[in-house]
Amino acid sequence: MSTNAPSLTDTVLQRVANRTGRRVRDLAVEVRGGRVVLRGRASSFHVKQLAQHGVRELLPDAHLENAIVVE
């Protein structure tokens, strides 16, 4: 029986969704090399910051671009 491990992108996406209580709408994560880009829409800067902390927990040394828009 073979199980596929989730990709790093999927792992980061899940961590951010869990860390923010799924409060980032249209959440998208791009992971390439040592760079992570977060995109989506949040209702507050606090939620945007929670998303950033979710990435930092997994990839503390990654270059992070938090492009989540606060509406």
Side-chain angles (χ1 to χ4, degrees):
M1 177 166 43
S2 172
T3 58
N4 292 331
S7 71
L8 183 55
T9 300
D10 290 337
T11 302
V12 172
L13 185 66
Q14 189 63 45
R15 174 63 62 96
V16 170
N18 289 341
R19 191 75 159 83
T20 62
R22 303 191 186 283
R23 291 179 285 175
V24 178
R25 294 177 307 284
D26 304 323
L27 177 61
V29 174
E30 180 183 327
V31 179
R32 251 190 242 158
R35 181 177 174 182
V36 178
V37 180
L38 296 177
R39 298 186 196 288
R41 297 177 294 133
S43 61
S44 71
F45 284 102
H46 178 69
V47 172
K48 180 176 179 168
Q49 187 176 28
L50 287 173
Q52 186 167 315
H53 285 292
V55 174
R56 290 281 177 230
E57 289 170 358
L58 284 175
L59 304 168
D61 298 324
H63 174 77
L64 175 61
E65 178 184 340
N66 189 345
I68 294 173
V69 175
V70 176
E71 299 179 325

